[in-house]
Amino acid sequence: MLHGYIPPHRFLPYLSWTEIDQLPDRENTVIVLPCGAIEQHGPHLPCSVDSVIASGVMGEALRRLPASVRAFALPPITYGKSEEHLHFPGTMTLTGTTLLSTVTEIGESVYRAGFRKLLLANGHGGQPQVLEMAARELRLRHGDFVVVPHGVSRLPSAASKQVSEQEKKLAMHAGHSETALMLALAPETVHMERAAANFPPPFPIKLLSPDGRPACAWTARDFGPSGVIGDPTSATREQGQEILDTLADSWVQALTELYQLRWLVREEPTWERGQFTGHIETAR
């Protein structure tokens, strides 16, 4: 069914328009938009990793969420901005402009339906800037819209205690944590017999990169032909389940607090792309 990892009772498209129109407390109800990608993740993982993890983590959080906390998910955006992986077959990418327009227009639809809180739950490291731009654009247009762009895996979880110091510093793609999560969420798609470690060379300018991560722009192919940037070889399903459990619990807390949040409302006339007119402060 269309809801995938999302619990059916938390999946907004399963409601009719009249049911949505009659929802109580729409202005505080949190709408979750998982944002993923379809891109290579090495020989051992499927190209759907980022979309699976974004939907899987948020789906588990919504399953655990108390009924008193009003939140619904939309179908995920499964295509992202993935140009850094274009050297590998299976990578499907949107341009940054297309993704920006897509997220902004979905956000407009969320607002038009009467909702005032939107979480952009991002599963792909190559597009947070685009989602941040979309969130700012929507806030400029609507002074009562709370739009939160945030990485799905960037809340407290068990991931950090499972990996080596090298993995913490240099892993960026298809490494331990992503592999473990996929073993928990979609084990039939993982081929551990193909897993192999691969790290980039530490970036030599300490002032620009204290931990050694590349401070310059990069593509996955810059670091070798496997597409892996990290060490997936020791990942297990049990570790993935632990990461999933702890991440989901963190998101339960975050969603609860976002539902309870009462944020600033800006009542002045707004700004919008294409019109560039709006309120200007004056010295009084």
Side-chain angles (χ1 to χ4, degrees):
M1 291 292 287
L2 186 62
H3 62 272
Y5 291 97
I6 307 298
H9 69 285
R10 294 284 191 178
F11 194 60
L12 190 70
Y14 284 171
L15 301 180
S16 69
W17 76 264
T18 55
E19 290 171 322
I20 292 173
D21 186 55
Q22 294 167 0
L23 285 173
D25 201 19
R26 269 184 294 171
E27 66 273 15
N28 291 307
T29 298
V30 181
I31 301 301
V32 179
L33 177 61
C35 300
I38 304 296
E39 59 184 36
Q40 73 82 22
H41 273 76
H44 68 293
L45 291 177
C47 293
S48 60
V49 166
D50 294 342
S51 294
V52 169
I53 289 176
S55 295
V57 170
M58 298 315 301
E60 183 61 23
L62 288 166
R63 188 183 69 79
R64 300 179 183 207
L65 197 66
S68 59
V69 179
R70 303 196 60 78
F72 293 93
L74 293 170
I77 296 177
T78 55
Y79 298 103
K81 180 180 178 293
S82 300
E83 292 103 327
E84 69 270 33
H85 301 288
L86 282 177
H87 297 96
F88 299 87
T91 297
M92 308 291 166
T93 189
L94 306 178
T95 64
T97 302
T98 299
L99 181 60
L100 177 62
S101 295
T102 299
V103 174
T104 304
E105 290 173 24
I106 292 172
E108 286 286 2
S109 297
V110 169
Y111 188 90
R112 190 169 59 249
F115 301 104
R116 296 295 180 264
K117 293 179 179 178
L118 174 62
L119 171 65
L120 306 176
N122 182 35
H124 169 40
Q127 62 196 20
Q129 299 86 352
V130 177
L131 301 186
E132 290 165 5
M133 290 169 65
R136 181 65 56 80
E137 175 72 19
L138 290 165
R139 179 65 183 184
L140 280 168
R141 295 182 184 187
H142 306 291
D144 59 346
F145 206 4
V146 179
V147 186
V148 179
H150 206 285
V152 165
S153 297
R154 292 190 176 275
L155 292 189
S157 77
S160 61
K161 74 176 187 179
Q162 296 178 2
V163 299
S164 66
E165 287 303 312
Q166 185 184 30
E167 184 85 0
K168 289 178 182 178
K169 290 181 178 181
L170 296 176
M172 294 182 287
H173 192 72
H176 180 279
S177 296
E178 285 190 321
T179 301
L181 272 171
M182 288 301 290
L183 284 167
L185 289 167
E188 69 281 0
T189 68
V190 181
H191 302 278
M192 289 303 294
E193 72 279 6
R194 305 176 192 166
N198 180 61
F199 287 98
F203 196 74
I205 305 175
K206 293 291 186 182
L207 283 175
L208 296 178
S209 178
D211 61 3
R213 285 176 177 263
C216 55
W218 55 268
T219 74
R221 186 58 184 83
D222 293 340
F223 308 129
S226 75
V228 174
I229 310 172
D231 184 1
T233 56
S234 63
T236 68
R237 187 172 185 173
E238 291 72 25
Q239 290 173 327
Q241 189 60 53
E242 185 182 21
I243 295 173
L244 180 61
D245 288 339
T246 51
L247 260 185
D249 286 342
S250 290
W251 274 110
V252 167
Q253 179 180 342
L255 288 167
T256 300
E257 294 181 5
L258 185 54
Y259 171 66
Q260 296 168 345
L261 173 70
R262 302 298 180 263
W263 189 239
L264 302 171
V265 174
R266 189 190 68 249
E267 297 179 351
E268 294 83 6
T270 190
W271 291 81
E272 181 175 354
R273 184 183 297 272
Q275 96 183 28
F276 294 103
T277 59
H279 175 76
I280 297 292
E281 291 290 345
T282 58
R284 294 183 176 86

